[in-house]
Amino acid sequence: MKFFQKRSVAVVLTLLIILASIGLGQVRRPVQSSPAPEPADPSALDTSLNTSGYTDWLWDEAGVLSDATEETLCLYNANWDARYGMIMAVAAVSDTDGMAIDTYTYQLGNDIGLGSQDLLLVMDVGGQDAFLIPGDSVTSALSDSVITQYMDQHYDAFMARDYDTFALGVFSSFQTFFASHLNAAQSTPAPGYAEGYARDVSWVVQIFFLILLILIVFSIIDSTRYTAYRRRYYGMGVPPVVFRPLLFWHGPGYGWYRRRWRQPPPPPGRGPRPPRGPGGGPTPPRGGGFSSGPRGGGFSSGPRGGGFSSGSRGGGFSSGSRGGGFSSGSRGGGFGGRR
């Protein structure tokens, strides 16, 4: 420990800490990059996006959608999620458990945990009906009449049981609508004051911890040097050498110095005694139990034992006040007058 008693060592350590902090700050500095160019056609899909995470939002219980169609629907969702923060889940079911299709759709959207900016398309293959609802936060321009209009455009494909063409047609119509009515910049925070403020705060925090680290290192060095100083000169009225700390409040005349001077220094070579247990032996280690940390997850339950993953879009999907299907005069739900 005599190595740390030298003032030159303390100065070198301080310089090393400062240089390491500056280097860390430079490494972690955000890289200024040019914004990604906007596609020439806003309705075009970015085929480079990863679609694997969007298969959870397709539930083909009735087995009427091809693999190619499902992959294309996932590509639509990957693009919408990246641009607007929304997706359209799809459920192709054999029946609606005896419920009206609009009620079934509202309940399913909330059960699977869709967010308020998402949409849900349900195709009832057994009942030959379809319904689509948006979340409560979806743009007001997407009214029930607009939804019904888009559904009616692909009515013939649905009635012909060409569910691939129907689903792709609905997604294509909404792709055109989103490109015309939604601004991708609204769903992505633009760089500016917020990022500059965050960087300023980050530098302040780094400087604070740098100062704190220097104080801790200096305090350790002062304690080490003062212990050796007190062991050597304790008991003298006036020590021949004045203790000169790195931190001025550790010097003579301050409480830090006086409190420690009144306590006799520990004899050399003696360390703290280990705790003793019953009967004078060492205290045995206590046994462990379950971890107090998070369990990391539990069971996942989708509708009818599988399909959608639940709760990963934030919940709060729809209050049941909007939606549309094929035109029928009653919120657009069901076939109604089209039959």
Side-chain angles (χ1 to χ4, degrees):
M1 300 300 288
K2 292 182 179 180
F3 177 77
F4 293 102
Q5 299 175 19
K6 300 178 181 179
R7 184 179 294 271
S8 59
V9 173
V11 174
V12 171
L13 287 176
T14 303
L15 293 176
L16 290 176
I17 293 173
I18 294 175
L19 292 175
S21 301
I22 294 175
L24 179 62
Q26 293 297 320
V27 170
R28 299 183 60 184
R29 183 178 60 182
V31 178
Q32 299 294 333
S33 58
S34 57
E38 291 291 333
D41 182 5
S43 63
L45 295 178
D46 182 359
T47 58
S48 65
L49 296 178
N50 184 5
T51 61
S52 60
Y54 298 93
T55 57
D56 291 339
W57 302 103
L58 297 179
W59 182 36
D60 186 15
E61 182 208 37
V64 296
L65 298 177
S66 66
D67 293 342
T69 295
E70 291 187 359
E71 178 62 28
T72 302
L73 300 184
C74 288
L75 182 61
Y76 274 109
N77 277 330
N79 278 263
W80 294 349
D81 199 12
R83 297 178 185 178
Y84 318 116
M86 62 171 57
I87 65 167
M88 184 189 297
V90 177
V93 298
S94 301
D95 60 76
T96 58
D97 296 334
M99 292 184 282
I101 191 169
D102 56 346
T103 303
Y104 179 87
T105 307
Y106 291 129
Q107 179 175 316
L108 181 61
N110 285 289
D111 287 347
I112 65 177
L114 286 172
S116 61
Q117 293 195 140
D118 300 325
L119 303 96
L120 172 60
L121 171 63
V122 170
M123 295 184 290
D124 178 11
V125 175
Q128 275 295 90
D129 205 350
F131 201 80
L132 187 149
I133 54 173
D136 288 338
S137 298
V138 176
T139 172
S140 59
L142 188 60
S143 62
D144 295 352
S145 60
V146 172
I147 295 175
T148 300
Q149 174 187 344
Y150 287 153
M151 296 284 282
D152 281 347
Q153 291 176 357
H154 311 287
Y155 171 84
D156 292 337
F158 188 89
M159 295 306 295
R161 299 185 181 275
D162 187 356
Y163 302 110
D164 286 330
T165 300
F166 170 75
L168 292 172
V170 171
F171 271 70
S172 177
S173 296
F174 276 88
Q175 168 73 358
T176 303
F177 175 86
F178 292 154
S180 302
H181 294 82
L182 297 182
N183 182 3
Q186 293 177 352
S187 62
T188 304
Y193 173 77
E195 287 190 2
Y197 177 77
R199 286 196 294 267
D200 292 342
V201 172
S202 176
W203 272 106
V204 170
V205 172
Q206 290 184 30
I207 292 174
F208 170 79
F209 280 104
L210 172 61
I211 295 174
L212 181 62
L213 180 60
I214 292 175
L215 292 177
I216 292 174
V217 172
F218 279 18
S219 294
I220 294 173
I221 295 175
D222 276 352
S223 296
T224 303
R225 294 175 61 240
Y226 187 65
T227 299
Y229 175 83
R230 187 167 47 130
R231 184 180 292 132
R232 183 173 183 179
Y233 297 112
Y234 183 78
M236 295 185 180
V238 179
V241 178
V242 177
F243 177 71
R244 300 186 182 279
L246 298 174
L247 302 176
F248 69 89
W249 58 88
H250 292 169
Y254 290 90
W256 186 92
Y257 182 98
R258 292 194 298 268
R259 286 193 304 270
R260 285 163 174 76
W261 185 259
R262 287 194 294 264
Q263 300 172 0
R270 292 287 300 275
R273 298 181 61 187
R276 311 298 290 179
T283 302
R286 297 183 179 180
F290 293 107
S291 170
S292 60
R295 292 191 181 92
F299 300 102
S300 176
S301 59
R304 300 188 186 179
F308 296 114
S309 62
S310 60
S312 56
R313 295 292 297 182
F317 173 52
S318 176
S319 59
S321 58
R322 299 178 60 189
F326 301 115
S327 57
S328 65
S330 174
R331 291 196 301 175
F335 291 123
R338 295 297 302 271
R339 293 180 174 172

